[in-house]
Amino acid sequence: MFRDRPAESLDELFDRDAEVKSLLDAVGRAALTLVIGMRRVGKTSVVMAATRGRLRVYIDARVFEDRPYISYQDFLEALGAELRRLLPLYKRLAELLSRVRGVAVAGVSVEFDTGRSAPNFADLLEVFDQWAGERGEKLIFIIDEAQELAKLRGRTLLPAFGYAYDHLRNISFVFTGSKAGLLLKFLKLEDPESPLFGRYAERLEIRPFPRELALRFLKEGFKQAGVGVDERLIQKAVDELDGIVGWLAYFGLRALRSPSTALEETLEYATRLAASEFCHFVRYTGSKRYVEAARICRHGARWSDVKRYLQAAEGRRITDSEVTKIIRNLINYGFLEKRDDVYVVPDPALRRALEGLRC
């Protein structure tokens, strides 16, 4: 049950039956499904386990997370890596791809031309649609952390997605995103100038486990491993890690080896990783104000609290629009959530990191 990587089959998931059913229902009836949720909450596990054994293409856009921008060629290389996995299994797909301008297929290898000779993404999607149609199946085209494609320069993928939405009936897109605001901003579903304007998208939110379920996850994991762990340690782990399955699983793996140090090691690692991710964001924006704004929101703060705190920290007036922009960006990047009128940092590891964070 405790795994150091995303689940790949349904029997590796813990109590996500409702989410799996919702996802498969959405894929069956909609052209576009958005799977959102905070970091390490289990989005990839749900998507990959639910779609195992089905016709699918998977692109992991997380590889672009640390880059300020990406090129169309970068995207094609990520797609090519997935095609090199598929081609040994599906000769017909290789035949269809070889007919696309800008694509060279040799055995199980696929290469894309560069520059102006690069293949049109819509043409590649037409191949996937034809391939799926010939097989009498629906192809599930998955892009993990799809908001990272907003960094693409020189070409946009939205026209191809819009074309596929309208005309390619054998493809269903599933986009995951831990930065829900950025994902929606990238897709521009409400922008009249966007190729995806007005298109309907199913939306599935993967949430952390509630407390009782988090406790059961740990207890059943230790039971399966045949290891006894003190109830007080399990309770404390859930108190510190909330219901974020990634951190709970990491703690579980540590506890199988060394229960006495497992929680301390988990908190240290989680705090360090959360600090690194957040400081990367701060350096990207070029403003230390985000550190102070997030810090005051660790356990909840209203908009007015954020403004007062920032002004006190800097000793000068800050405009309302600047405060709103800071909060909006923190939400878009998944570092804040709004609950009623209060802004909170949902990740317990980041809350801990923010106590003395210096970026």
Side-chain angles (χ1 to χ4, degrees):
M1 182 179 296
F2 301 140
R3 303 183 184 279
D4 60 355
R5 59 191 66 191
E8 296 180 353
S9 62
L10 293 176
D11 60 4
E12 294 176 353
L13 287 179
F14 179 80
D15 205 87
R16 292 295 195 188
D17 293 351
E19 290 88 343
V20 167
K21 182 179 185 306
S22 294
L23 176 62
L24 293 179
D25 287 347
V27 166
R29 64 174 174 259
L32 174 60
T33 301
L34 309 181
V35 181
I36 62 172
M38 62 188 295
R39 293 168 176 81
R40 285 169 284 277
V41 79
K43 300 183 298 298
T44 302
S45 290
V46 169
V47 170
M48 297 305 285
T51 60
R52 183 175 182 177
R54 296 172 182 253
L55 210 60
R56 72 183 182 193
V57 171
Y58 174 77
I59 297 177
D60 189 352
R62 290 174 296 182
V63 298
F64 305 131
E65 195 164 22
D66 291 333
R67 303 190 195 182
Y69 66 89
I70 60 175
S71 67
Y72 183 55
Q73 199 63 33
D74 291 329
F75 172 75
L76 288 179
E77 287 176 6
L79 176 59
E82 173 68 352
L83 290 175
R84 284 187 284 275
R85 181 189 69 82
L86 291 171
L87 293 186
L89 304 173
Y90 303 103
K91 291 184 179 180
R92 177 57 176 164
L93 177 60
E95 293 174 3
L96 294 172
L97 284 169
S98 65
R99 302 173 186 174
V100 178
R101 183 185 64 83
V103 179
V105 179
V108 297
S109 175
V110 58
E111 300 293 338
F112 300 113
D113 289 348
T114 60
R116 294 182 178 180
S117 299
N120 188 301
F121 184 48
D123 293 341
L124 295 173
L125 291 177
E126 284 186 335
V127 164
F128 292 131
D129 183 73
Q130 181 179 345
W131 176 50
E134 290 178 359
R135 296 175 60 87
E137 300 180 54
K138 177 169 284 189
L139 181 137
I140 305 171
F141 196 105
I142 304 163
I143 303 182
D144 215 346
E145 299 295 351
Q147 73 278 341
E148 300 302 325
L149 298 183
K151 299 174 182 177
L152 195 146
R153 300 292 181 265
R155 191 179 298 209
T156 175
L157 302 178
L158 293 187
F161 289 137
Y163 171 76
Y165 189 108
D166 290 342
H167 301 290
L168 305 183
R169 304 299 182 186
N170 302 310
I171 300 179
S172 181
F173 293 96
V174 175
F175 297 159
T176 81
S178 59
K179 306 167 185 175
L182 287 185
L183 178 58
L184 295 172
K185 186 177 180 180
F186 163 60
L187 295 174
K188 300 180 180 179
L189 298 174
E190 298 180 3
D191 182 350
E193 302 300 319
S194 169
L196 288 175
F197 173 66
R199 303 308 195 275
Y200 173 75
E202 291 279 348
R203 182 165 170 161
L204 172 63
E205 184 173 4
I206 308 298
R207 301 191 64 83
F209 288 152
R211 179 177 176 77
E212 289 305 313
L213 191 56
L215 289 169
R216 187 156 64 86
F217 172 77
L218 290 178
K219 291 176 182 178
E220 292 192 14
F222 292 131
K223 182 179 179 181
Q224 285 185 13
V227 174
V229 176
D230 188 88
E231 172 75 19
R232 290 170 297 180
L233 177 59
I234 294 175
Q235 294 275 350
K236 187 176 181 181
V238 172
D239 288 340
E240 296 283 356
L241 302 171
D242 289 350
I244 300 176
V245 68
W247 294 137
L248 293 171
Y250 188 89
F251 163 74
L253 290 170
R254 289 283 186 175
L256 294 179
R257 187 187 66 186
S258 176
S260 62
T261 61
L263 184 54
E264 180 182 349
E265 291 171 344
T266 301
L267 291 173
E268 179 183 354
Y269 173 71
T271 301
R272 185 163 20 97
L273 184 58
S276 174
E277 291 173 343
F278 187 74
C279 284
H280 175 76
F281 160 76
V282 171
R283 288 190 291 271
Y284 175 74
T285 62
S287 174
K288 297 293 182 67
R289 284 177 173 173
Y290 289 100
V291 179
E292 301 301 331
R295 181 174 287 128
I296 190 61
C297 293
R298 278 181 301 155
H299 302 294
R302 297 180 183 275
W303 183 95
S304 56
D305 299 325
V306 176
K307 181 174 181 178
R308 279 195 299 270
Y309 186 81
L310 290 176
Q311 290 186 150
E314 296 188 15
R316 64 189 181 91
R317 183 178 179 276
I318 299 176
T319 65
D320 290 357
S321 61
E322 179 64 15
V323 175
T324 298
K325 184 187 79 171
I326 290 169
I327 291 174
R328 182 178 63 246
N329 285 341
L330 286 169
I331 291 174
N332 284 345
Y333 277 83
F335 297 118
L336 280 189
E337 283 184 1
K338 187 176 183 182
R339 299 173 183 172
D340 297 324
D341 292 327
V342 175
Y343 298 98
V344 298
V345 175
D347 186 347
L350 181 56
R351 290 198 299 267
R352 188 181 179 91
L354 284 165
E355 291 179 10
L357 186 63
R358 297 289 183 271
C359 293

